[in-house]
Amino acid sequence: MNLLLAPIVLPLLFAILALFALHHPRAQRALALAGTGLLAIVSVALLLSVRAGGIVAVQVGHWPAPFGITIVADLFGAIMVVLASLTGFAIALYSIGVHDRARERHGYYPLLLVLLMGVNGAFLTGDLFNLYVWFEVMLMASFVLLALGCEKPQIEGAVKYVALNFFSSALFLAAAGLIYGVLGTLNMADLAQKVAAVEDKRLLTSMALLLLAAFGIKAAMFPLFFWLPASYHTPPPAVSALFAGLLTKVGVYALIRTFTLIFPLEPTFTQPLVLWLAALTMITGVLGAAAQMEFRRVLSFHIVSQIGYMIMGLALFTPLALAGAVFYIMHHIIVKTNLFLVSGVVHYLRGTGELKQLGGFYRAHPWIAILFLIPALSLAGLPPLSGFFAKLTLIVAGLQQQAYLIVGAALGVSLLTLFSMTKIWGEVFWKAAPGRPEPDAPPALEPARLRLMIAAIVLLAAITVVIGLAAGPLFTLAMEAAGQLMNPQPYIEAVLGGAP
Amino acid sequence: MSIIVGLLYAAGIFLMQRRNMVKFLIGLALLSHGANLLIFTAGGLTRGHPPIIAEDATLADPLQADPLPQALILTAIVISFAVLAFALILFLRAYQTTKTDDLHDLRSTDA
Amino acid sequence: MSTLILRTATRYLVPILLLFSIYLLLAGHNYPGGGFVGGLAASAGLALYALAFDVRSARAMLRVTPTTVSAAGLLIATLSGLPGLFKQLPYMSGQWIVLPLPGFDPIKVGTPVFFDIGVYLVVLGVTMSIIFSLSEETK
């Protein structure tokens, strides 16, 4: 029972300790590493206990369920927490390697931990308003992380990011207010029951659409994605890796949670809408990526197109498709973070991210090249890496639903992804280094720091390979999670069925 | 009340479409106030019955106001206060580094 | 801004504001008030001090950095949730003990009070760091 709150309280405690040690970078680094490491262990334990013992819920402050705030973990939530914690650990490792004194003095590590707390809180909460609060916790931390350092592109990216997210929060808040006004509750399990009992669905559909718009902005779905590629490539690599891996996925998580539990997708209106949005998200994202010539911009656009795949899993709305979405998220968080970390190493070694100016990496650093190849091929969906199974599941689910258009879109996008990954490979690693030596060669990295950064990348790459090799058991896990999502009854019972 | 909410939303969105940073920020602030009032209106308004159980009573006043929307709004106000304070400083910084208060000039990071 | 009148008035106002903020904090459990308003009142006092004199002396009056204040507040608030755990109750469950005071009515002390103190410190710390950095920025 107490394990359930640990993923939220633990990072908070470590963040506080790190705040006290603001002027002792060594202590901060140790705290960040210990905090995220412990977090990873605890969250794996949570996942195991949820899998063994079913959904667990805690009524915070001992207020009974529909009134107080409930923290609840089902398999999907627990899986997400594990992924977030693992990513957090890798990022902490990498950041220590980066060794950015100025940012460390301004609270980089406490912010990192607070961000993780917000993400975990959002994954575990069972209350709509509480979800809003966790979103804000996470966003505040991410705002500051994004703007920390005050370089010009960073500030410009941050302005757009802050404005859009503030707007989507206002939408979310309005939706929450309306829902409370109509249904008189904000507990998600309680809402699910009350929504099912309402006869007139029209007002509910409008609320569902408000939530769709709010979460859609945060998840960077089709018409509302433009803030993402405008801001994600501006902060330091470790930060953009963290954002790329986690933040949009919280939006996707919220979408999946809302549209399975509270407002199950309606085949007449919302389902086709979400399906179309998914297809358009995929296609615009990958086309944007194909047009870009900067390492991290390419990757940013790919996030958008990958979000399309996850939403596609939601929109098909069958157990298999949802399992595909869950599996896709697992694979995507790890792979995407890793790609950004690799791009960071390239950036630190060469001082630029422009593809045209890079080259010769395979000759100079064959190991980095191979470490790039693993997540890149996995992202494009080559067997036997993790992305292949994720895409395969989604496509099979699509064929079962006879949604041939979106399957075609998914296959085409996959091909284009491979194209732009080979573009990066060719430009950065394969091509001979551009003739002239760099005019302002950046200070060489100390080998010890580089080793830490590589260690983070190796960790994530190893996880990718493991996901690919252990696809069978992990897929059963995803199927179980999807089963829980499609059948919310146990969730409702766990939340409302008396205090633990 | 609903009319005020509508006005706040309209004014907020109008201001957000201006190119001036300060106006944009004021628009954001108005929008969040609009959302707060919306919760208040949607949650039902009661006059003169605070949600506090009187000292000599054991049961709540049956007419009492619903405390939950108030709690929600308080939380939302605190959050938007913090976000606005941050956005203010950020915009100030943006003005200092880019020497412009026109949002259309902040294009260098767009694709 | 820093005229003689304001400075003299501030000398008397700041202690009153700080006292009032503590009153608000402690009254918050049964009456209007609480950690948030209390913290705001206290930071209003310090902000007045910063206006009448200067930011540096206001910082000096706080003695520790605003960050430390808010960190301490967060720590207190987080820890206040723990006692309930020992009684096998969920995190953040309220616990109360009655302290008899000789000569006065006994007072009830509970974990929510500590939570409120934490909130008070966090609000104070955060508001002060906003005000300090904004006013130092514009100089």
Side-chain angles (χ1 to χ4, degrees):
Chain A
M1 179 188 88
N2 295 334
L3 212 52
L4 185 49
L5 281 169
I8 301 172
V9 179
L10 208 61
L12 178 62
L13 270 178
F14 275 92
I16 297 168
L17 292 178
L19 261 187
F20 276 122
L22 202 55
H23 297 284
H24 307 281
R26 221 173 256 273
Q28 276 203 36
R29 279 178 221 140
L31 280 171
L33 209 56
T36 48
L38 212 56
L39 188 62
I41 295 168
V42 166
S43 55
V44 170
L46 176 68
L47 175 63
L48 291 179
S49 82
V50 170
R51 189 159 192 212
I55 302 172
V56 278
V58 168
Q59 319 294 344
V60 177
H62 209 48
W63 298 98
F67 307 110
I69 293 171
T70 313
I71 300 287
V72 50
D74 65 346
L75 269 179
F76 183 40
I79 292 174
M80 297 301 282
V81 169
V82 170
L83 291 172
S85 312
L86 283 175
T87 320
F89 180 66
I91 300 283
L93 203 63
Y94 189 86
S95 311
I96 292 170
V98 172
H99 207 86
D100 191 333
R101 272 283 161 74
R103 290 197 167 83
E104 280 174 353
R105 253 206 318 279
H106 285 95
Y108 177 81
Y109 293 117
L111 283 167
L112 188 72
L113 288 163
V114 170
L115 184 81
L116 281 178
M117 171 178 87
V119 170
N120 282 344
F123 289 150
L124 290 179
T125 183
D127 182 282
L128 200 59
F129 191 78
N130 198 226
L131 181 64
Y132 166 76
V133 174
W134 288 124
F135 261 121
E136 293 303 313
V137 169
M138 172 186 104
L139 285 176
M140 267 324 269
S142 71
F143 290 164
V144 185
L145 278 177
L146 187 60
L148 210 60
C150 287
E151 287 152 28
K152 187 167 172 252
Q154 259 187 305
I155 296 281
E156 289 193 17
V159 166
K160 290 158 201 161
Y161 180 80
V162 170
L164 249 293
N165 277 301
F166 195 83
F167 183 65
S168 95
S169 301
L171 285 183
F172 185 9
L173 194 59
L178 283 176
I179 287 173
Y180 183 75
V182 173
L183 299 169
T185 178
L186 282 170
N187 186 299
M188 293 205 248
D190 203 20
L191 272 178
Q193 286 182 328
K194 293 207 166 136
V195 166
V198 171
E199 295 282 323
D200 183 11
K201 300 270 188 209
R202 275 171 298 180
L203 192 55
L204 292 184
T205 310
S206 66
M207 288 172 199
L209 286 186
L210 259 184
L211 283 180
L212 179 66
F215 296 147
I217 292 179
K218 296 198 200 270
M221 257 166 87
F222 164 59
L224 306 165
F225 63 83
F226 40 81
W227 57 268
L228 190 145
S231 59
Y232 267 26
H233 62 95
T234 55
V239 176
S240 54
L242 187 66
F243 287 10
L246 293 180
L247 293 195
T248 47
K249 257 54 72 185
V250 181
V252 174
Y253 168 85
L255 278 173
I256 293 182
R257 181 64 83 204
T258 331
F259 288 102
T260 52
L261 181 64
I262 307 177
F263 303 107
L265 286 177
E266 312 237 349
T268 50
F269 180 59
T270 39
Q271 191 180 4
L273 177 72
V274 176
L275 198 58
W276 274 107
L277 287 179
L280 287 172
T281 313
M282 267 188 235
I283 295 169
T284 41
V286 84
L287 290 181
Q292 290 298 323
M293 282 312 270
E294 208 263 349
F295 206 146
R296 284 198 277 166
R297 282 190 198 213
V298 176
L299 295 179
S300 304
F301 270 106
H302 273 298
I303 301 178
V304 178
S305 94
Q306 311 280 313
I307 296 289
Y309 280 98
M310 295 166 210
I311 307 293
M312 166 185 165
L314 170 66
L316 291 170
F317 209 57
T318 59
L320 186 65
L322 272 177
V326 174
F327 198 87
Y328 206 102
I329 295 176
M330 294 205 269
H331 134 80
H332 173 89
I333 290 182
I334 301 291
V335 163
K336 201 82 219 182
T337 314
N338 205 0
L339 281 175
F340 269 88
L341 291 182
V342 174
S343 82
V345 170
V346 171
H347 194 96
Y348 283 119
L349 285 174
R350 288 291 161 85
T352 175
E354 291 294 332
L355 294 185
K356 287 284 175 214
Q357 294 171 19
L358 289 165
F361 249 81
Y362 181 71
R363 184 154 302 181
H365 308 274
W367 279 103
I368 298 180
I370 287 170
L371 284 175
F372 169 78
L373 211 54
I374 293 173
L377 293 181
S378 172
L379 188 73
L382 252 62
L385 293 161
S386 54
F388 169 70
F389 297 102
K391 280 186 178 156
L392 183 70
T393 323
L394 283 175
I395 285 168
V396 170
L399 288 178
Q400 280 176 359
Q401 291 288 298
Q402 291 165 343
Y404 296 116
L405 263 178
I406 192 146
V407 170
L411 288 172
V413 168
S414 182
L415 212 59
L416 284 174
T417 311
L418 189 59
F419 160 72
S420 66
M421 283 301 131
T422 42
K423 180 171 80 183
I424 295 182
W425 172 254
E427 293 284 342
V428 178
F429 296 98
W430 205 243
K431 181 183 76 178
R436 59 192 171 78
E438 301 92 62
D440 46 345
L445 285 169
E446 297 157 26
R449 288 166 51 189
L450 187 63
R451 231 174 281 137
L452 270 179
M453 288 153 85
I454 299 286
I457 295 173
V458 169
L459 175 69
L460 289 178
I463 296 175
T464 314
V465 174
V466 167
I467 294 181
L469 292 181
L474 283 173
F475 185 70
T476 352
L477 185 68
M479 273 309 269
E480 284 170 30
Q484 284 184 355
L485 284 174
M486 289 301 284
N487 176 22
Q489 210 54 44
Y491 184 92
I492 296 173
E493 274 163 24
V495 174
L496 295 180
Chain B
M1 279 301 263
S2 351
I3 297 171
I4 300 177
V5 173
L7 277 178
L8 278 174
Y9 264 88
I13 289 179
F14 173 72
L15 282 175
M16 280 180 67
Q17 288 168 354
R18 307 305 297 268
R19 286 163 58 166
N20 186 309
M21 271 190 204
V22 181
K23 286 183 184 155
F24 185 85
L25 206 61
I26 298 174
L28 280 182
L30 285 183
L31 204 67
S32 68
H33 294 327
N36 287 339
L37 271 184
L38 179 71
I39 298 182
F40 214 33
T41 331
L45 289 173
T46 20
R47 198 179 260 259
H49 295 276
I52 294 178
I53 301 174
E55 225 166 299
D56 46 356
T58 47
L59 269 180
D61 184 348
L63 289 174
Q64 76 165 27
D66 186 352
L68 198 75
Q70 301 183 4
L72 300 187
I73 295 170
L74 180 59
T75 318
I77 290 175
V78 175
I79 291 174
S80 60
F81 161 69
V83 176
L84 268 180
F86 177 76
L88 184 67
I89 297 181
L90 178 70
F91 278 45
L92 182 67
R93 260 302 151 142
Y95 174 69
Q96 285 169 348
T97 45
T98 59
K99 305 271 179 278
T100 171
D101 65 344
D102 187 344
L103 288 169
H104 276 223
D105 292 342
L106 298 183
R107 273 203 199 152
S108 68
T109 66
D110 280 354
Chain C
M1 274 302 275
S2 107
T3 60
L4 186 64
I5 300 175
L6 184 64
R7 261 189 269 176
T8 321
T10 302
R11 276 189 213 287
Y12 295 100
L13 275 175
V14 169
I16 297 177
L17 271 167
L18 289 182
L19 260 181
F20 179 61
S21 76
I22 290 173
Y23 164 75
L24 275 177
L25 164 70
L26 294 180
H29 198 65
N30 295 322
Y31 296 96
F36 187 72
V37 212
L40 277 186
S43 46
L46 282 179
L48 184 66
Y49 196 82
L51 264 184
F53 297 90
D54 59 352
V55 177
R56 185 126 52 86
S57 49
R59 266 189 199 276
M61 200 171 105
L62 201 58
R63 279 169 204 272
V64 285
T65 60
T67 325
T68 318
V69 175
S70 31
L74 269 178
L75 190 65
I76 293 175
T78 315
L79 294 183
S80 79
L82 294 181
L85 289 180
F86 296 115
K87 287 200 184 166
Q88 299 293 312
L89 286 174
Y91 184 66
M92 286 274 171
S93 301
Q95 295 298 316
W96 295 91
I97 38 171
V98 180
L99 283 186
L101 281 188
F104 293 98
D105 288 340
I107 54 166
K108 276 166 76 185
V109 179
T111 50
V113 178
F114 286 98
F115 188 79
D116 247 8
I117 295 174
V119 172
Y120 176 96
L121 289 176
V122 172
V123 171
L124 179 64
V126 169
T127 324
M128 282 339 285
S129 63
I130 292 174
I131 291 177
F132 285 166
S133 53
L134 260 182
S135 49
E136 275 164 5
E137 185 80 33
T138 46
K139 238 169 237 166

